[in-house]
Amino acid sequence: LVYDKVDAILVDGGVAQQYADANPDLVICSASSELPTAEPTDSSAGPGGSEQDTVSLTPDTVQAVVSMLTCADSYSRTVTVEDFWPGGNSSTELAVWVDHDRSRIRVEKDGVVRNILISDGTLYIWYDYSEEVFSSDKLDDAGVDEWLRCISYDELLELPVSSISSASYEQFGGESCIYVEYVSGDFGYTSCVYISVSTGLLMGARVYDGEELVYQMTSSAPELSAPSEDMFALPGVPISPAPEEE
């Protein structure tokens, strides 16, 4: 059971039964004098994760557990996204600052720096040394995850249990995480995600096309404090509507 930042709770049997009656997804475990010890497992394995799974988390229960996580409201971190294809690969580093419903992303690639700000339901994009800011109020539900090129684990919550092949607690990037492997999408790609128990943030992800790795995302340890207001300030240049997509 994961509730906010608690991995499990110990309550009187009668109280536990009341919770179970009201929440059919919860599981009651009897107390034992010989409780198992949870050990960190190897997070470097390919599809299927580690074979050592000492904590009771299964494909049948993981959606309920993930749905109860609370995402950090304010933080900053760096996300690295890698794409792989036959004979090549690319890597992009994205710095992100989040304060409740405001998000700022800074991407530097090939000497060009792009800034993305989502604030009050509006998207702003500008480039360093540019004389113009583009804006749009056309935002989809993915929000900052789309611009970070991160998998949104919301799709995990909507999958049939039969699409989930593995679930466990694992250490990843210095964080205690929920590891889930599942198949989704029209092409049947296999996704392996690591979701922080303490922050609810996606800390890592891999996507496979068959046995071939096609996508990988890793996150630095987040700084859990409100970023400076300067991070959400627009540059002092004219704001123009973003060009319509053809």
Side-chain angles (χ1 to χ4, degrees):
L1 172 64
V2 175
Y3 181 76
D4 196 8
K5 297 184 179 180
V6 179
D7 293 335
I9 57 174
L10 178 64
V11 296
D12 177 79
V15 176
Q17 189 60 54
Q18 293 178 24
Y19 276 107
D21 292 341
N23 300 274
D25 291 327
L26 299 184
V27 177
I28 298 177
C29 299
S30 300
S32 170
S33 59
E34 297 182 358
L35 295 176
T37 301
E39 299 290 342
T41 56
D42 181 9
S43 63
S44 62
S50 171
E51 293 182 357
Q52 182 183 7
D53 200 4
T54 59
V55 182
S56 180
L57 186 66
T58 70
D60 290 323
T61 61
V62 68
Q63 289 169 304
V65 172
V66 170
S67 70
M68 295 162 64
L69 293 177
T70 300
C71 230
D73 290 327
S74 300
Y75 60 88
S76 57
R77 61 174 175 161
T78 300
V79 170
T80 302
V81 174
E82 298 173 89
D83 295 292
F84 302 88
W85 60 88
N89 67 283
S90 67
S91 178
T92 304
E93 188 173 277
L94 307 95
V96 58
W97 299 265
V98 173
D99 186 25
H100 296 274
D101 61 349
R102 301 183 299 173
S103 302
R104 164 84 179 276
I105 302 170
R106 182 177 173 86
V107 187
E108 183 172 358
K109 193 172 182 66
D110 299 328
V112 177
V113 179
R114 181 171 63 164
N115 299 277
I116 301 159
L117 174 65
I118 299 174
S119 180
D120 295 327
T122 302
L123 169 69
Y124 302 93
I125 300 176
W126 71 94
Y127 295 85
D128 279 9
Y129 312 114
S130 172
E131 297 182 354
E132 195 167 21
V133 176
F134 298 99
S135 66
S136 174
D137 59 2
K138 297 179 180 179
L139 290 172
D140 58 26
D141 294 335
V144 68
D145 285 339
E146 177 186 7
W147 292 98
L148 273 176
R149 297 195 55 230
C150 286
I151 294 174
S152 172
Y153 61 76
D154 286 347
E155 72 167 358
L156 168 63
L157 303 179
E158 300 170 359
L159 291 175
V161 172
S162 58
S163 295
I164 303 172
S165 56
S166 180
S168 61
Y169 289 105
E170 297 198 10
Q171 291 290 318
F172 184 86
E175 298 251 348
S176 296
C177 292
I178 295 172
Y179 169 83
V180 192
E181 177 188 337
Y182 59 92
V183 176
S184 65
D186 296 335
F187 298 101
Y189 288 160
T190 299
S191 297
C192 305
V193 299
Y194 297 86
I195 307 166
S196 171
V197 170
S198 61
T199 67
L201 297 174
L202 185 69
M203 295 300 296
R206 301 188 301 273
V207 177
Y208 294 85
D209 181 3
E211 296 297 322
E212 297 295 324
L213 179 66
V214 296
Y215 167 93
Q216 182 167 272
M217 167 264 173
T218 55
S219 170
S220 66
E223 177 67 34
L224 299 178
S225 59
S228 166
E229 283 296 316
D230 293 342
M231 288 298 170
F232 307 104
L234 291 167
V237 295
I239 299 177
S240 303
E244 293 289 339
E245 295 184 359
E246 297 183 358

